[in-house]
Amino acid sequence: MEKLRETIHNAKLTKTQQTIAEFILDHSGDACFMTSTEIAARLKVSESSVIRFARSLGYTGFMDFQKNLRKEFQNQVHHISSAITVPSQRMAEIAKKGTSGDYLKQHFQNVISNIEEMFSNNGLHTFEDAADIIVRSTQKYVTATRGDTALADYASLYLKHMVSNVINTSSACMTPVDQLINIRKEDCLLIFGFPRYSSLDHATVRMAKDAGAQIIVVTDKPSSLLAQYSSVLITVPVDSNSFNNSLAAAQFTTECLLEAVSHRVHGIEKRLQKIDEYLDELGTY
């Protein structure tokens, strides 16, 4: 849907039209087959607003827009949208599509598509703004739950190599809420959250918001559960052709953020040399 996203991004949309755009981008599979009346009823807007939205993008009307939407959707039907969050339901959807002998190539294409969409959705300034917050903050809290903790662990490890006071909230004996009890407005929270969104993540980000801390949210879309709390929002799709989210693009996004931080910090070489002194003794690299 990259072409459509770019068209929407360049269009001057009203608040209502932006709501329609977000729905169509988040539910493109459904929107392909919904009438303008059905979309209007779903979003509690007028049908004329849906038609004006289509015309604002350069189409003659909604049917013309939907024809193009279906064409774009057909180009990506090999993946299962992250909008389908329950693993068993995703497997049922995969069964409907049938098994392809070229599934590894399809997975590769999904990853590339997700990365390209991430670049389309986030400019360099987004990563630079996030990096500035991390460097300026006193305490840097990093959090995620379940499968997303791989991203938080990776980010925490390499942030610790560059800056001080990095706190990974993943722990077997306490929740992120326990870890954030001392968070203050001079601190920041870096949180990773993808479907199915965790209520624990929601509580954690609200806790940081109530404290006045800056919040960097890495999630799949602007309408996600956590996006509304962000000081800086980084969106990256996790669509895949399997029952689980594909985190390859999210991992790459994390690397981009770390790269941005590395360009804003001095003295990294000395920190790395100190770490290596002890790693050489242990033989663990």
Side-chain angles (χ1 to χ4, degrees), residues 130-151:
D132 285 339
I133 288 174
I134 291 172
V135 173
R136 290 198 314 265
S137 296
T138 303
Q139 303 280 359
K140 297 89 168 159
Y141 294 87
V142 185
T143 190
T145 52
R146 288 183 58 78
D148 300 336
T149 56
L151 300 170

Side-chain angles (χ1 to χ4, degrees), residues 8 13 17 20-21 24 49-57 65:
I8 289 174
L13 303 179
Q17 290 171 345
I20 297 169
I24 288 174
S49 294
V50 179
I51 295 172
R52 283 196 296 270
F53 162 74
R55 289 175 177 168
S56 69
L57 299 183
F65 166 74

Side-chain angles (χ1 to χ4, degrees), residues 9-64:
H9 177 73
N10 293 330
K12 294 181 179 180
L13 303 179
T14 65
K15 187 175 181 180
T16 298
Q17 290 171 345
Q18 188 62 46
T19 299
I20 297 169
E22 289 177 2
F23 170 78
I24 288 174
L25 290 173
D26 291 348
H27 305 86
S28 54
D30 295 331
C32 281
F33 305 101
M34 295 173 70
T35 65
S36 56
T37 304
E38 290 171 335
I39 291 176
R42 176 81 169 267
L43 300 178
K44 294 181 173 56
V45 300
S46 66
E47 184 178 4
S48 59
S49 294
V50 179
I51 295 172
R52 283 196 296 270
F53 162 74
R55 289 175 177 168
S56 69
L57 299 183
Y59 298 95
T60 58
F62 181 76
M63 291 184 67
D64 183 31

Side-chain angles (χ1 to χ4, degrees), residues 156-225:
S156 297
L157 172 62
Y158 291 106
L159 281 175
K160 284 177 180 289
H161 288 183
M162 295 186 286
V163 295
S164 302
N165 303 318
V166 176
I167 302 169
N168 188 336
T169 68
S170 299
S171 172
C173 65
M174 63 183 76
T175 69
V177 171
D178 298 309
Q179 298 270 26
L180 264 69
I181 189 63
N182 293 318
I183 193 169
R184 299 290 183 264
K185 63 180 180 180
E186 60 269 20
D187 303 330
C188 75
L189 171 68
L190 170 60
I191 184 166
F192 300 86
F194 297 97
R196 291 182 280 179
Y197 310 115
S198 166
S199 57
L200 180 57
D201 287 343
H202 191 207
T204 303
V205 80
R206 285 194 294 111
M207 192 172 186
K209 188 74 172 181
D210 290 342
Q214 296 284 290
I215 303 171
I216 303 163
V217 175
V218 183
T219 189
D220 61 317
K221 53 181 178 283
S223 60
S224 76
L225 179 68

